[in-house]
Amino acid sequence: MNIDVKTAEAIAQDYKEMGDSVQLINGIIDGSQMADKSEEDKKDCVKRNVEHLEIMVAKDYWTNEDMTAVSAAITAGKNYLG
């Protein structure tokens, strides 16, 4: 049995959570999120969220979801991390 078989609701929740990661990565980069945290904490958070997005993008259950913002956040996050 394929463990990636999910209901439409579960897929929608995964997509929403990916959007949350996109917002967090972009917010850290633009200074609107975690501004009071150390650079080390911000980079650690960006790293975890980029890894999460990379894992999620690779799932085989996506259909017509727009991954443009996700791909951009992965690229921006990696650039931020150096």
Side-chain angles (χ1 to χ4, degrees):
M1 180 175 173
N2 183 349
I3 60 170
D4 281 347
V5 173
K6 291 191 167 215
T7 64
E9 293 80 13
I11 292 170
Q13 181 63 33
D14 283 353
Y15 189 68
K16 180 203 170 297
E17 290 170 4
M18 289 173 71
D20 294 343
S21 287
V22 167
Q23 287 185 327
L24 185 56
I25 291 167
N26 291 334
I28 290 170
I29 292 170
D30 72 19
S32 65
Q33 302 241 5
M34 294 182 68
D36 61 336
K37 301 294 183 189
S38 71
E39 190 65 22
E40 182 180 345
D41 286 345
K42 290 187 277 191
K43 286 192 172 189
D44 183 56
C45 186
V46 168
K47 181 178 182 290
R48 285 192 321 270
N49 280 274
V50 165
E51 289 170 352
H52 169 248
L53 291 177
E54 289 178 323
I55 290 166
M56 295 307 295
V57 164
K59 299 293 183 183
D60 64 3
Y61 51 72
W62 302 116
T63 55
N64 61 349
E65 292 83 3
D66 184 355
M67 297 293 179
T68 305
V70 173
S71 296
I74 291 170
T75 299
K78 286 182 174 183
N79 288 339
Y80 176 78
L81 294 171

